[in-house]
Amino acid sequence: MDAPFFSVIIPVYNVERYLACAVDSVLGQDFSGDAEIILVDDGSTDSSGKICDDYAARYPQVKVFHKNNAGQAIARNVGLKVAEGEYIVFLDSDDWLERDAFRVFQEALLKHSKADLLGFLFQKVSENGNTLLYRTPLWRCPVESSVNVLEIASKLDLSMSVCAYVYKHEFLAHEQLSFVEGILQEDAEFAIHALLLAKEGVFLNYHGYNYRTRAGSTMECKGVAHLRKRFEDYLFIFGSLKENVKKFGENSIQYLAMRRQCGQLVFAFAWELYSKPIPASDVRKFLAALKEMNLLPLPCNLGSRIYSLWAWFVSRKLPVFFVRLLQRSLSWYTGRRQKGRGMDHPQEIKSENPQLVRTAAGANEEKLQLFLASNEDFFEHACITILSVVCNTCSPVHINILTSNLSPNVQNQLVLLNKIRPFSIDFIHVDENMFKDFTSKIKRIGKAAFYRLAIAGLRPDLKKAIYLDSDMIIRTDIRTLWEEDIQDVYAGVVEDLIPREQILFPNERYFNAGVLLLNLERIRRDFSIERFVEIDRENPGILRYQDQDILNIAWSGRVKYLDFRWNVGAACFMKLPQEHRSKEAEIKRACMDARIVHFTGMHKPWIYPASEFPEAYVYEYFKYWQIFEPNKRIVAPIFQRACLLMWRNHILDILRVFKRNPFGLFLAEQRAVILRLNRDFCHTMKRLRRMREKLCLSKKRDLSTDHIN
């Protein structure tokens, strides 16, 4: 019998609530190979052991080993001894893998068969799995190609969790790698040793692992006694690693790699040590031991000037109370800055994501049908919208692109998004003659805006679909929107906040057509494209937002209004019209926690970054763009155009003032207008410069640091 391709080692201890999710995520993997699951029950006192036995009885690829409680290190070592697969995967029993993880891993490992390890990325989720807390930044090293692991480890901070790597079984056996028993940081010790011994490796910009943060887990029990134990374990690990590389000399690449990887552990623990009420003598003892091991000063290349400044002060061995005071001040300052921006740093993308707890066993579930309309000029932005959907959605997604003129080259670029995150895609050709009788009143809106009117007829096999404009980012699992009940209406929509005097029927609610949850069965039964043409003809010359007005007239009173968070546009961040003031609290909540950010009107990040939208949403948009086109120089040209546009508008504003009154310079009122224009102009230019600097720094930093588990 052939050996399985993967051996998945799962140590189990009192995780009856989460174990099924972990195991199902492996059983549901869709790849061309076999995987064995090794469950090592470490003396669980709840029903975890019974759950393990149930899986072993149902699935022949599941093996169970029961032992007395002795810790995670021994449990993993048991798994290593009995594993038969070509590659070893470590999975904690309260975490889970993405459904396509093994397929992605297998493709890379078959392509780079000499690689000793494969590194990938993880994302942290809350205990109930509902909230995405953090995603590890992308690798800065070459991805999807074989690299010298020692060289990478000497220059970049890599993950210290064994769960973030796939190891070749032959490599682990040859180097006789195993977990040190009796320490709390056994995975960090194992991971660093493996990095120092590996010759070739491959790294993927793929978030394939979901790490659940929960109270009671090994790394979450952070009392003073626990910290002291970790303190002792860190000293043991650093001493052991230093002893192993000592023979190569302090200028060797092995020593530099060891110091680099230990440095990030030192900083993370030092920050935690100063933040807890541990005696100052213990802190000084820790610092003295680090200095003796040549691990001081702390690393200051952290991307953040604030934390680098703190690291510099710690390395100077200033009084403990002073460093703690500085640390609290910095924490308060960064918290105030984030609160002032209205949300967290874009690296910490918070989103309600209840489908993260869906297991991979649901691989055969219904695909979410999404429609976007695009042309040659807008396809880049459609790619970013698609990327934001698939990066935040666990369920299978099928993208339908409505187009009349996309070239094969552009279509290939859309298909290549599959390499970042898998999904299926179809290009549906739309005959523009269907819309020859429609005439848009807004120059920037082309024929593609009308394609949404034909969705029901273009895909008669579908009962339900979601339509999205191509100028938005999705920040949550789109399945939450998909599961809204629209059985008795034509669509689920979000109210538009434009002033009543700008719409056709000022006494009725008016929705924005950028996000539509469509009941295609009912629309197909009651409407056709000819009916929409009739509505346009019945209201000649009075439809301002033509495609949107037609839908509001056709579906009046037969739509379901959804939470504002499903379509947060520019109007949400402006002064609300009087008729919408009663919804101010709901709109403010939507602005703070948008599920879909819709860059409406002229407020596009690629046209005018310093718009009404909070900077964090703009940063998030550009981060997706950098993932889509990592080698393209996008930030500088956009901000150059924005600055030129600002100068042009400012000069025109000044000229308008003088046109109204050529001698206005001598009038106090006109001088006040000019001063206000200058003040606003300077403020906006400063904001543009700050955003540009931060985005350029983010592009350098996001791919390098913070891979600490």
Side-chain angles (χ1 to χ4, degrees):
M1 184 177 178
D2 293 337
F5 195 83
F6 292 109
S7 288
V8 185
I9 298 173
I10 307 178
V12 177
Y13 181 72
N14 289 354
V15 283
E16 59 183 0
R17 181 179 170 189
Y18 311 108
L19 181 57
C21 181
V23 178
D24 287 344
S25 74
V26 181
L27 292 172
Q29 292 293 321
D30 181 19
F31 76 110
S32 58
D34 297 321
E36 67 171 353
I37 303 174
I38 301 171
L39 300 173
V40 184
D41 176 26
D42 191 31
S44 298
T45 57
D46 62 2
S47 62
S48 298
K50 184 178 182 304
I51 295 173
C52 292
D53 292 334
D54 290 343
Y55 272 104
R58 283 187 288 156
Y59 301 99
Q61 66 268 44
V62 178
K63 301 176 182 178
V64 177
F65 298 88
H66 297 279
K67 53 180 282 296
N68 294 329
N69 181 248
Q72 195 166 235
I74 296 179
R76 283 174 170 161
N77 285 337
V78 170
L80 281 174
K81 288 177 183 177
V82 300
E84 299 176 355
E86 294 181 52
Y87 292 92
I88 304 296
V89 178
F90 293 101
L91 175 63
D92 284 349
S93 52
D94 51 355
D95 302 335
W96 71 95
L97 296 169
E98 290 292 312
R99 175 175 43 254
D100 58 337
F102 282 2
R103 180 176 61 80
V104 175
F105 298 160
Q106 186 184 45
E107 289 175 359
L109 291 168
L110 291 176
K111 186 177 179 182
H112 307 284
S113 57
K114 293 184 179 180
D116 293 323
L117 57 82
L118 177 146
F120 54 97
L121 307 175
F122 70 88
Q123 52 195 17
K124 287 187 178 182
V125 297
S126 58
E127 182 171 0
N128 59 9
N130 287 347
T131 307
L132 179 63
L133 301 174
Y134 173 80
R135 276 199 175 127
T136 47
L138 305 183
W139 302 107
R140 194 177 182 183
C141 62
V143 294
E144 299 185 19
S145 60
S146 289
V147 295
N148 185 311
V149 176
L150 267 177
E151 185 179 345
I152 298 301
S154 66
K155 296 177 180 178
L156 302 178
D157 295 337
L158 304 178
S159 177
M160 294 296 96
S161 170
V162 293
C163 297
Y165 299 96
V166 177
Y167 297 99
K168 182 182 281 189
H169 196 175
E170 181 184 350
F171 160 69
L172 297 181
H174 179 266
E175 300 295 346
Q176 297 182 339
L177 279 172
S178 62
F179 292 89
V180 176
E181 301 172 7
I183 64 174
L184 292 173
Q185 302 294 325
E186 79 285 343
D187 60 337
E189 193 271 346
F190 185 100
I192 297 177
H193 264 122
L195 291 170
L196 296 178
L197 294 170
K199 294 178 176 60
E200 288 188 29
V202 59
F203 295 88
L204 304 178
N205 279 333
Y206 168 67
H207 292 85
Y209 191 95
N210 293 288
Y211 170 72
R212 191 194 307 268
T213 57
R214 64 183 183 90
S217 66
T218 306
M219 294 308 299
E220 294 298 323
C221 301
K222 296 181 179 177
V224 173
H226 177 85
L227 283 173
R228 283 179 176 152
K229 170 62 177 168
R230 284 177 59 195
F231 161 66
E232 294 170 0
D233 292 345
Y234 273 129
L235 294 182
F236 169 80
I237 292 170
F238 299 151
S240 172
L241 291 169
K242 187 177 179 182
E243 190 65 30
N244 286 344
V245 300
K246 190 177 181 180
K247 59 184 178 183
F248 298 104
E250 292 191 359
N251 294 323
S252 65
I253 192 170
Q254 289 87 353
Y255 188 88
L256 294 176
M258 181 277 296
R259 197 180 188 287
R260 176 84 190 202
Q261 301 312 312
C262 288
Q264 58 171 324
L265 287 177
V266 169
F267 177 85
F269 184 66
W271 180 270
E272 190 174 3
L273 203 63
Y274 275 98
S275 65
K276 299 292 182 180
I278 192 169
S281 58
D282 286 351
V283 177
R284 285 193 289 268
K285 179 181 175 183
F286 179 67
L287 295 176
L290 291 178
K291 186 176 182 181
E292 186 178 339
M293 293 180 182
N294 198 26
L295 288 173
L296 279 183
L298 292 179
C300 292
N301 53 343
L302 302 168
S304 168
R305 296 176 184 174
I306 291 176
Y307 296 117
S308 297
L309 174 67
W310 182 83
W312 185 88
F313 275 110
V314 171
S315 301
R316 303 284 83 76
K317 296 204 307 183
L318 294 173
V320 174
F321 78 89
F322 177 79
V323 179
R324 280 179 171 161
L325 180 63
L326 175 66
Q327 182 189 41
R328 289 170 185 168
S329 301
L330 294 177
S331 298
W332 175 84
Y333 173 68
T334 53
R336 290 278 295 184
R337 282 204 315 168
Q338 292 177 352
K339 186 177 179 181
R341 290 199 301 263
M343 57 203 66
D344 294 337
H345 191 280
Q347 285 186 356
E348 299 176 340
I349 303 176
K350 290 191 176 181
S351 57
E352 291 187 10
N353 203 345
Q355 296 309 317
L356 284 175
V357 298
R358 300 176 68 90
T359 68
N364 296 321
E365 64 185 323
E366 178 188 13
K367 285 188 176 181
L368 310 186
Q369 297 288 339
L370 270 65
F371 285 79
L372 290 91
S374 184
N375 53 30
E376 292 275 347
D377 298 329
F378 228 70
F379 89 94
E380 283 184 321
H381 313 299
C383 287
I384 292 167
T385 300
I386 294 169
L387 194 56
S388 69
V389 170
V390 297
C391 284
N392 288 288
T393 302
C394 293
S395 301
V397 174
H398 183 80
I399 305 293
N400 300 272
I401 303 293
L402 306 175
T403 183
S404 61
N405 62 349
L406 280 185
S407 66
N409 181 47
V410 170
Q411 292 185 23
N412 287 337
Q413 290 191 57
L414 283 161
V415 172
L416 286 175
L417 288 175
N418 258 307
K419 288 191 174 182
I420 302 172
R421 201 64 179 268
F423 63 93
S424 55
I425 187 169
D426 277 334
F427 296 91
I428 301 176
H429 180 76
V430 180
D431 184 2
E432 286 204 346
N433 290 327
M434 296 169 62
F435 308 98
K436 62 183 179 180
D437 295 324
F438 294 111
T439 305
S440 175
K441 303 295 187 298
I442 303 176
K443 291 182 180 180
R444 68 174 182 272
I445 298 178
K447 292 290 186 184
F450 293 94
Y451 293 172
R452 74 194 82 188
L453 304 178
I455 291 175
L458 292 171
R459 286 295 304 270
D461 55 314
L462 299 181
K463 297 180 180 180
K464 193 176 187 180
I466 295 175
Y467 173 83
L468 300 172
D469 276 351
S470 298
D471 54 353
M472 54 180 56
I473 54 172
I474 285 70
R475 310 182 66 246
T476 187
D477 194 322
I478 201 81
R479 175 167 280 278
T480 311
L481 173 61
W482 178 269
E483 291 178 344
E484 289 280 351
D485 182 15
I486 55 167
Q487 187 174 356
D488 300 323
V489 295
Y490 290 123
V493 298
V494 177
E495 186 174 3
D496 204 318
L497 297 177
I498 60 176
R500 293 293 190 197
E501 60 268 17
Q502 295 184 18
I503 61 178
L504 191 59
F505 304 107
N507 295 324
E508 297 183 12
R509 295 182 79 179
Y510 183 86
F511 62 82
N512 183 280
V515 178
L516 299 171
L517 176 60
L518 300 169
N519 183 345
L520 296 181
E521 272 191 318
R522 182 160 183 175
I523 295 171
R524 200 177 292 119
R525 185 187 67 201
D526 296 345
F527 289 94
S528 63
I529 193 68
E530 291 77 17
R531 175 63 186 130
F532 290 128
V533 173
E534 287 178 17
I535 293 173
D536 186 45
R537 288 174 179 168
E538 290 168 2
N539 299 275
I542 62 173
L543 301 181
R544 180 167 181 170
Y545 307 102
Q546 197 165 3
D547 56 313
Q548 189 165 279
D549 286 346
I550 289 170
L551 290 176
N552 272 273
I553 294 171
W555 298 345
S556 178
R558 287 169 287 183
V559 294
K560 177 181 179 179
Y561 281 92
L562 307 173
D563 193 306
F564 279 104
R565 288 180 292 177
W566 286 115
N567 192 348
V568 177
C572 294
F573 300 97
M574 301 178 184
K575 185 177 180 180
L576 293 176
Q578 185 63 40
E579 57 269 22
H580 296 300
R581 296 284 173 83
S582 60
K583 311 181 187 80
E584 189 170 2
E586 185 181 356
I587 294 167
K588 186 176 180 180
R589 181 172 67 94
C591 293
M592 296 286 287
D593 183 25
R595 295 176 178 177
I596 296 179
V597 181
H598 189 181
F599 298 104
T600 51
M602 295 299 294
H603 310 277
K604 318 289 187 191
W606 61 93
I607 297 176
Y608 184 49
S611 63
E612 286 76 10
F613 288 93
E615 292 176 19
Y617 289 151
V618 178
Y619 295 147
E620 195 173 328
Y621 177 86
F622 280 108
K623 284 182 67 179
Y624 282 116
W625 202 340
Q626 288 167 0
I627 295 172
F628 169 53
E629 296 182 301
N631 299 319
K632 185 175 179 181
R633 187 170 173 264
I634 56 174
V635 173
I638 286 172
F639 279 83
Q640 287 169 3
R641 288 197 300 269
C643 289
L644 289 174
L645 182 63
M646 282 299 304
W647 273 107
R648 172 185 170 274
N649 292 343
H650 182 59
I651 292 170
L652 290 176
D653 288 340
I654 298 295
L655 290 176
R656 288 191 194 98
V657 172
F658 281 103
K659 186 177 180 180
R660 288 196 298 269
N661 186 351
F663 304 100
L665 189 62
F666 303 101
L667 300 176
E669 183 180 348
Q670 300 296 344
R671 286 203 305 273
V673 172
I674 294 173
L675 287 172
R676 179 177 56 78
L677 289 172
N678 283 331
R679 186 176 64 250
D680 293 346
F681 172 75
C682 292
H683 173 75
T684 306
M685 291 297 287
K686 285 181 180 178
R687 186 181 176 199
L688 277 171
R689 283 194 293 270
R690 184 181 71 249
M691 292 177 70
R692 175 179 174 172
E693 290 171 2
K694 194 162 187 178
L695 280 166
C696 290
L697 176 63
S698 173
K699 187 170 183 178
K700 297 175 184 176
R701 182 181 68 216
D702 283 357
L703 308 184
S704 61
T705 60
D706 292 338
H707 293 275
I708 303 173
N709 204 354

